[in-house]
Amino acid sequence: MTLLKTKTNIIRTYAGYYREDQALKSSSSGGVATYIAKVIVGDGGVVYGATYADDFYSAHYLRVSNIKDIDRLKGSKYCFVRKVILKNGQEKSVYEAVAEDVTEGRKILFIGLSCDIAALLHYLESKSIPEFREMIFTIELLCMGVTEEIVQREYVRYIESLHKSKVKSFTVRSKRDGWNPIYINAKFENEEEHVMPFYESTYGLAFMFYKRRACYKCELKGKHRYADLTIGDYRGCEEWMPEFNRDGVSIIFVQTENGQKMIDGIDFKIFKIMETDTEYACRHSPRYFSALPENPEWEEINRSINSVSGLFGTFRKRNYLFEYGESFVGKDIVLWGAGDCFHKLGHYVMEFTDVSFVVDENPDIWSQYTEYGIKCMSPEHIRGKDVFVIIMIEAGNFVCQVINRLINMNIYSFAHVRDWIEFNERIKSNHTREP
């Protein structure tokens, strides 16, 4: 904890979730931002947060002063959010709108990314508004970076063309099968529905490989955070832990006295909250401390997306995740995970693939040989190496964590084991087919 004190401003760390099933399932994680927003509005205050435009082609900020509109703020937005609100049909700077509310003595809750909160506080300080920090409460979202607005716009337009109808609701964080894996879910005016595992979608690929360029250089990490609370998914929260709920758990890092006031105001009968181990939570929240490294192919992707290829053409022709092409040719092939999935499916992979070794998080099996005769190493062994990784894990939440870890290592060539087996079966079938 001493080391964390030098790297963070964390006072306490909590985990929590809505007790009511529907409220929890309609939230991205545990629903803590929604709960606090309702408390603020119920006390006569105003909440600012991100919402989609009416056509779902973009996102912007929304000022909410009544309980019924809080649901419009629910759900993560993985694209750039415009720093404006719409007032009488006109765009107005969200920072100006907050300053006006603070000047009029209203209590404010501002929910956004760390860059938005830093910009807001800087703006309010520049206006010399007296004691504004007593009036404003801030919640920032643990952030991997956002993708460009063009991704949101092109994706929604494309699925509208598929379903021949306009989108009437859209989320990238549907809890169709519980907290993980996450799904895109869009509903249309013709009552059709579009459901797609997020990380298997073109949107998901863009989110992983095509962040806004400034996000890769974000310095608002660790001690350089300005929000009262930092919240996100409680990664690493497992079934044996008392904090666990299969439909989502929020991690809540308290960084100021105002943050602790928000936590102290939570009604335990409505929202289950408990203190959790800060060091453990930080260890499973790498984006608290650092930004993802820039994809070395960002420039090429950017040119392609903004050309006639567009979003879908760009990722169809690129060798990412599920269309492997030659992305593994000449590379060492490495398996990630030596657990149950490895024991169950390892022999299928070996049938098609010359595997160099396997990596696993468990140090007890490092340098040992597995039942398939390949050596197990630490994941750090592949950092900076030109490898193709096959993920031998089936739990969706852990797959997402491994993908994030690989990207953090600057490794962009990987596949999930079941997709890899299907790919090779297809190749084998094509080779044996009559010409």
Side-chain angles (χ1 to χ4, degrees):
M1 189 64 181
T2 304
L3 182 61
L4 285 179
K5 285 183 178 178
T6 67
K7 292 185 174 182
T8 77
N9 299 315
I10 297 171
I11 299 170
R12 288 188 180 88
T13 304
Y14 296 87
Y17 53 85
Y18 259 111
R19 292 183 182 274
E20 198 271 311
D21 283 348
Q22 187 52 43
L24 176 58
K25 288 178 180 177
S26 63
S27 301
S28 291
S29 300
V32 65
T34 299
Y35 178 88
I36 294 173
K38 289 183 176 181
V39 170
I40 294 289
V41 169
D43 198 31
V46 174
V47 176
Y48 287 84
T51 191
Y52 286 118
D54 290 343
D55 59 10
F56 296 95
Y57 292 169
S58 62
H60 58 81
Y61 271 90
L62 180 70
R63 180 185 184 275
V64 172
S65 57
N66 58 75
I67 295 288
K68 67 181 178 65
D69 285 337
I70 287 175
D71 281 353
R72 294 183 62 189
L73 306 180
K74 279 188 171 184
S76 301
K77 283 74 183 177
Y78 283 172
C79 64
F80 173 73
V81 176
R82 299 180 186 183
K83 317 309 176 192
V84 296
I85 63 167
L86 298 179
K87 188 173 183 179
N88 301 323
Q90 301 293 315
E91 290 187 351
K92 179 184 181 69
S93 162
V94 66
Y95 307 132
E96 288 181 22
V98 173
E100 289 174 5
D101 277 330
V102 172
T103 301
E104 292 172 10
R106 291 190 177 93
K107 183 188 289 187
I108 305 295
L109 172 64
F110 188 93
I111 306 167
L113 303 183
S114 53
C115 51
D116 297 341
I117 289 171
L120 171 66
L121 296 178
H122 178 75
Y123 180 85
L124 295 176
E125 285 173 355
S126 73
K127 294 297 180 182
S128 301
I129 300 173
E131 300 178 345
F132 73 84
R133 286 186 180 271
E134 295 180 10
M135 303 300 299
I136 188 163
F137 295 80
T138 55
I139 298 177
E140 68 178 6
L141 311 175
L142 267 176
C143 180
M144 294 172 59
V146 296
T147 192
E148 296 284 1
E149 186 177 290
I150 189 174
V151 174
Q152 176 74 24
R153 183 172 66 251
E154 283 213 16
Y155 190 84
V156 172
R157 282 178 173 168
Y158 178 76
I159 61 175
E160 285 181 334
S161 70
L162 286 180
H163 292 268
K164 296 180 173 56
S165 183
K166 299 294 288 182
V167 167
K168 66 178 183 180
S169 72
F170 180 87
T171 179
V172 292
R173 290 290 302 262
S174 170
K175 294 178 177 177
R176 180 175 178 267
D177 296 330
W179 189 15
N180 281 294
I182 58 174
Y183 287 81
I184 289 176
N185 184 291
K187 292 183 171 65
F188 297 85
E189 291 177 354
N190 64 1
E191 302 306 318
E192 291 185 7
E193 189 173 12
H194 182 90
V195 179
M196 180 76 178
F198 179 73
Y199 286 105
E200 294 180 23
S201 71
T202 305
Y203 200 130
L205 294 175
F207 179 67
M208 286 190 288
F209 299 114
Y210 182 58
K211 310 285 189 189
R212 298 198 84 214
R213 206 153 201 185
C215 296
Y216 297 114
K217 299 177 177 66
C218 180
E219 296 180 356
L220 297 168
K221 303 290 184 180
K223 286 187 78 73
H224 305 293
R225 293 180 177 274
Y226 297 90
D228 300 315
L229 298 178
T230 299
I231 67 170
D233 292 317
Y234 192 175
R235 298 298 182 194
C237 188
E238 300 185 28
E239 291 187 29
W240 55 267
M241 297 170 62
E243 298 94 329
F244 182 80
N245 187 304
R246 71 175 302 274
D247 289 320
V249 184
S250 295
I251 191 66
I252 309 159
F253 297 110
V254 179
Q255 291 154 160
T256 67
E257 290 183 10
N258 266 1
Q260 191 61 53
K261 285 179 185 176
M262 285 189 270
I263 297 302
D264 293 342
I266 290 176
D267 185 341
F268 189 73
K269 295 191 297 292
I270 300 172
F271 192 92
K272 184 174 182 178
I273 190 162
M274 63 207 83
E275 199 160 353
T276 194
D277 184 79
T278 298
E279 186 175 350
Y280 180 86
C282 284
R283 194 162 65 246
H284 290 85
S285 304
R287 298 289 73 78
Y288 187 94
F289 299 96
S290 63
L292 287 167
E294 183 174 326
N295 180 359
E297 297 181 332
W298 189 94
E299 285 280 9
E300 188 179 343
I301 294 173
N302 185 57
R303 280 195 299 271
S304 182
I305 284 179
N306 287 282
S307 72
V308 292
S309 295
L311 174 67
F312 284 83
T314 296
F315 285 102
R316 280 184 184 134
K317 71 184 181 184
R318 303 195 69 77
N319 302 322
Y320 283 131
L321 230 61
F322 306 106
E323 296 299 330
Y324 307 116
E326 297 179 352
S327 61
F328 57 89
V329 175
K331 298 182 180 182
D332 286 336
I333 295 182
V334 176
L335 308 184
W336 186 304
D340 291 343
C341 181
F342 174 79
H343 299 311
K344 184 167 61 175
L345 298 176
H347 63 287
Y348 287 110
V349 175
M350 303 295 177
E351 179 183 345
F352 300 112
T353 313
D354 184 14
V355 175
S356 297
F357 53 90
V358 60
V359 299
D360 195 272
E361 300 280 5
N362 182 2
D364 293 340
I365 58 175
W366 292 348
S367 299
Q368 295 184 19
Y369 284 89
T370 69
E371 66 262 43
Y372 300 115
I374 58 173
K375 202 171 189 178
C376 184
M377 312 290 285
S378 162
E380 287 300 311
H381 191 73
I382 63 174
R383 183 181 292 276
K385 294 185 178 176
D386 190 20
V387 296
F388 185 92
V389 177
I390 301 174
I391 302 170
M392 305 290 292
I393 297 171
E394 296 198 273
N397 56 329
F398 291 114
V399 172
C400 294
Q401 290 178 40
V402 171
I403 290 173
N404 291 336
R405 181 91 177 270
L406 288 168
I407 294 171
N408 203 32
M409 291 176 164
N410 261 340
I411 296 172
Y412 294 91
S413 297
F414 51 84
H416 187 263
V417 58
R418 293 196 178 277
D419 299 297
W420 181 251
I421 291 171
E422 180 184 337
F423 169 75
N424 281 279
E425 290 282 8
R426 193 164 65 243
I427 296 294
K428 184 179 178 181
S429 174
N430 289 342
H431 283 171
T432 58
R433 190 175 298 155
E434 288 291 330

